[in-house]
Amino acid sequence: LPPELPLTVSPLPALATLLLIAAAVQLSARCAAWRTSRMPATEAVAESRSEPRTPSRARTGAGVLLILGACALSVVPLLSRTVLGASVTSIAGILAAIGLAMCGPALVRSAGEAAVRRLRPGVAAPTWLALSNVRAYALRLSGVVSPLAMGVVFVLTYTLTQTTVLAATSDDTRTGTLAQYELTAPALGGLPDGTLSAVRDVPGVRAAAPAGTTTVVWEYEELGEPAVESASAMILTPDARDVLDLGVTDGGLDRLTGATVAVSAEAARTRDAGLGKRVRLVLGDGARVEARVVAVYD
């Protein structure tokens, strides 16, 4: 690793995680047992075998509002087609899971009552008992539904969001590539010297340009506060305009010489990085560069 990006190894993060988990478990357990521990034993046993007849309206209303808010947030990726917009999906999923946990008893009870009303005469005893249990112990059953919903949320949002972003990035790169062939040599650590000129001398080749990928850290200000974001980037030359079509709307790829960079229209708008502006980047080797924006693409 370069000296600008040192590797820090410390047991403190793991220790802090263990302490936070222990504190969260203690707090949740004490809060859950606080009311019951102050009741007479006979009353506590009797209450454990029964539930409130109607779920709390305030709790149900708050849960419904959270679910509606999650639905509104889930539209953000359709309006902002960026990595940041896609990350909102995870927040929406968590809000929906919390909302389901809060209004779960009312939903479970309503579903159980609707199913009971549609039972045909002569239904099997196990079916009748199961639906009666759903109606009588909706609070307990919702305690099972909520963890299942949380598991689905983590799988669909945190896992599939990343794969969706990667697939979309690959698809955009493939769509914007005009070249019919690509030459790579990963086993050799890269193409040998002279490959570019040799390819250009091949009969029938109209254009050839080198291209590579790297990761950069973009330093910028957001709401007056310093912020950084790591993102993948392509290493291009002015000849890239003959083999790539990025949908340039301002400037041109033929200006990519020296400390220059091309940015997306979304980044140019949200980070004040329009044509001619300078942005601070940290390259993969740790070098800091103040690059000038020479092209903006869709």
Side-chain angles (χ1 to χ4, degrees):
L1 293 176
E4 292 82 0
L5 299 174
L7 177 63
T8 302
V9 179
S10 173
L12 294 181
L15 181 60
T17 302
L18 291 176
L19 292 177
L20 288 175
I21 292 176
V25 170
Q26 284 288 332
L27 180 62
S28 59
R30 291 180 182 275
C31 290
W34 181 81
R35 179 173 175 273
T36 305
S37 63
R38 284 161 174 74
M39 297 172 57
T42 54
E43 185 178 349
V45 172
E47 187 173 286
S48 67
R49 300 184 60 85
S50 62
E51 292 187 358
R53 291 185 176 274
T54 57
S56 171
R57 291 186 177 181
R59 171 177 172 172
T60 302
V64 172
L65 290 178
L66 285 176
I67 292 177
L68 293 177
C71 293
L73 285 177
S74 63
V75 182
V76 173
L78 300 178
L79 304 177
S80 177
R81 296 179 177 272
T82 61
V83 176
L84 183 60
S87 64
V88 178
T89 307
S90 304
I91 302 176
I94 292 177
L95 286 180
I98 295 174
L100 179 61
M102 296 183 68
C103 66
L107 295 178
V108 170
R109 182 183 292 274
S110 299
E113 292 177 350
V116 168
R117 286 195 298 268
R118 287 170 173 76
L119 285 179
R120 294 177 298 177
V123 68
T127 302
W128 184 86
L129 290 174
L131 292 177
S132 298
N133 183 71
V134 170
R135 297 175 60 190
Y137 298 100
L139 186 61
R140 298 182 184 181
L141 186 60
S142 65
V144 178
V145 174
S146 298
L148 291 177
M150 184 65 71
V152 173
V153 164
F154 274 101
V155 172
L156 294 182
T157 57
Y158 284 91
T159 302
L160 297 184
T161 296
Q162 301 299 325
T163 57
T164 301
V165 171
L166 292 176
T169 303
S170 300
D171 184 66
D172 289 343
T173 303
R174 185 166 51 254
T175 302
T177 301
L178 302 177
Q180 294 178 312
Y181 299 99
E182 296 180 6
L183 295 180
T184 60
L188 301 178
L191 295 173
D193 295 337
T195 302
L196 179 60
S197 58
V199 171
R200 287 174 174 171
D201 293 337
V202 174
V205 175
R206 292 185 297 177
T213 58
T214 185
T215 300
V216 298
V217 176
W218 189 339
E219 299 176 337
Y220 61 98
E221 288 189 0
E222 186 175 21
L223 301 178
E225 297 292 334
V228 295
E229 180 179 342
S230 176
S232 59
M234 296 186 67
I235 306 172
L236 303 175
T237 65
D239 297 328
R241 60 179 180 176
D242 298 325
V243 296
L244 290 176
D245 181 13
L246 301 181
V248 176
T249 58
D250 202 0
L253 298 181
D254 56 339
R255 305 178 186 178
L256 288 173
T257 57
T260 56
V261 66
V263 300
S264 65
E266 180 74 17
R269 181 174 63 256
T270 58
R271 302 179 186 178
D272 190 23
L275 192 67
K277 295 294 184 67
R278 291 191 173 273
V279 297
R280 298 188 302 272
L281 303 175
V282 181
L283 304 183
D285 58 357
R288 294 182 176 272
V289 176
E290 188 170 336
R292 181 169 55 90
V293 178
V294 296
V296 178
Y297 58 89
D298 286 335

